[in-house]
């Protein structure tokens, strides 16, 4: 088993205990030197839930909370749930189920309301929202941005962070302005699947070497992730659970100790308020 003299955090991955690798993926991560995970619930439709009310999201979130509890028993650190509504749901509702954009917006906001209950009760660390990363109509785009703004309302109320799934960009100044209007610190808005730098939030950098070199060179707060999707029907999609530990090993070999501390100790503390060193049992 690989061990490092540092916490090793994957900031965004998914676990599907019923249809995917589930805890076996956690064991791979831990054996490779990984210590902490932020586990984002899979999209509701991929877990077999055709939601019609905000309460219909509850079993989706409960699945993630339970697998996180079991993952924490395996890890030398711990795992935390990040709960929310995937922005791609708007297309499932509008294109496949005949919802108008406003009704889709309201249902997705209700799902976020349910997710926020878990945060308030201490059962989840952060919320997840966003907007489509593909072309949509103006009405769907506005509905999606309304959902995202509702997510910001909730994180302001819950005093937590918000992970975002958005279009490919290095500039989220518009979202940063919305966050500022609500008193949400800009660093607590995290762009998942990010490049090595970002204006208007904290980048959660996909762990390929080019992006990580960019982040390390800049010296600004960043996180590392794989977006492991835990889908047996899509083997090899995005990155596997061993990737972040392997990239930490590479960064340390390159003399990037400060970047590793930035991504795995300092930024988790400033963004989520978690102490990855104190929660490391070694």
């Amino acid at each position: 088993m690989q061990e490092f003299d540092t916490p090793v955090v994957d900031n965004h991955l998914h676990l599907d205990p019923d249809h995917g690798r589930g805890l076996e993926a956690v064991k791979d991560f831990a054996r490779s030197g990984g210590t902490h995970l932020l586990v984002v619930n899979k999209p509701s439709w991929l877990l077999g839930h055709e939601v019609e009310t905000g309460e219909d999201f509850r079993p989706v979130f409960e699945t993630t909370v339970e697998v996180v509890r079991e993952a924490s028993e395996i890890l030398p650190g711990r795992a935390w749930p990040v709960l929310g509504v995937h922005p791609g749901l708007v297309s499932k509702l509008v294109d496949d189920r005949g919802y108008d954009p406003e009704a889709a917006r309201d249902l997705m906001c209700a799902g976020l309301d349910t997710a926020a209950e878990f945060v308030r009760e201490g059962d989840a660390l952060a919320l997840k929202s966003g907007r489509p990363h593909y072309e949509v109509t103006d009405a769907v785009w506005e509905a999606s941005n309304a959902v995202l703004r509702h997510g910001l309302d909730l994180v302001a109320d819950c005093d937590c962070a918000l992970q975002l799934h958005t279009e490919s960009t290095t500039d989220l100044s518009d979202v940063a302005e919305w966050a500022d209007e609500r008193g949400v610190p800009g660093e607590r808005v995290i762009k998942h699947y990010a490049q090595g730098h970002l204006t208007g939030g904290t980048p959660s950098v996909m762990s390929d070497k080019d992006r990580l070199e960019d982040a390390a060179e800049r010296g600004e707060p960043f996180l590392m992730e794989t977006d492991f999707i835990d889908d047996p029907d899509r083997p090899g999609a995005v990155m596997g659970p061993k990737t972040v530990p392997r990239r930490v090993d590479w960064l340390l070999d390159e003399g990037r100790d400060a970047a590793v501390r930035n991504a795995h100790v300092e930024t988790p503390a400033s963004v989520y308020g978690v102490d990855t060193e104190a929660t490391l049992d070694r």
Side-chain angles (χ1 to χ4, degrees), residues 215-230:
E217 283 291 333
R218 291 172 183 271
E220 297 169 356
F222 75 101
L223 298 153
M224 290 173 60
E225 69 165 76
T226 57
D227 191 27
F228 174 65
I229 61 173
D230 204 8

Side-chain angles (χ1 to χ4, degrees), residues 7 11-12 22 31 43 46 63 72 108 123 147 149 157 173 197 229 243-244 256 271 277-279 282:
N11 181 64
H12 186 111
R31 281 191 292 263
L46 293 180
T63 295
S72 291
M108 293 170 72
D123 294 324
V147 175
R149 290 192 291 268
D157 179 65
S173 297
H197 62 283
I229 61 173
T243 307
V244 166
R256 302 284 196 177
V271 167
E277 292 178 314
T279 50
R282 284 198 174 145

Side-chain angles (χ1 to χ4, degrees), residues 87-137:
L89 179 60
V90 70
S91 297
K92 297 287 182 182
L93 295 173
V94 172
D95 297 341
D96 299 345
R97 294 175 56 188
Y99 278 63
D100 62 45
E102 293 75 20
R105 173 200 65 203
D106 292 346
L107 175 54
M108 293 170 72
C109 286
L112 283 172
D113 290 340
T114 301
E117 293 179 22
F118 287 80
V119 176
R120 293 190 187 99
E121 293 166 6
D123 294 324
L125 181 65
L127 293 176
K128 181 259 180 78
S129 184
R131 58 195 183 195
H133 63 274
Y134 47 87
E135 290 293 323
V136 294
T137 65

Side-chain angles (χ1 to χ4, degrees), residues 233-245:
D233 293 331
R234 296 176 63 194
V238 291
M239 294 178 169
K242 299 177 183 179
T243 307
V244 166

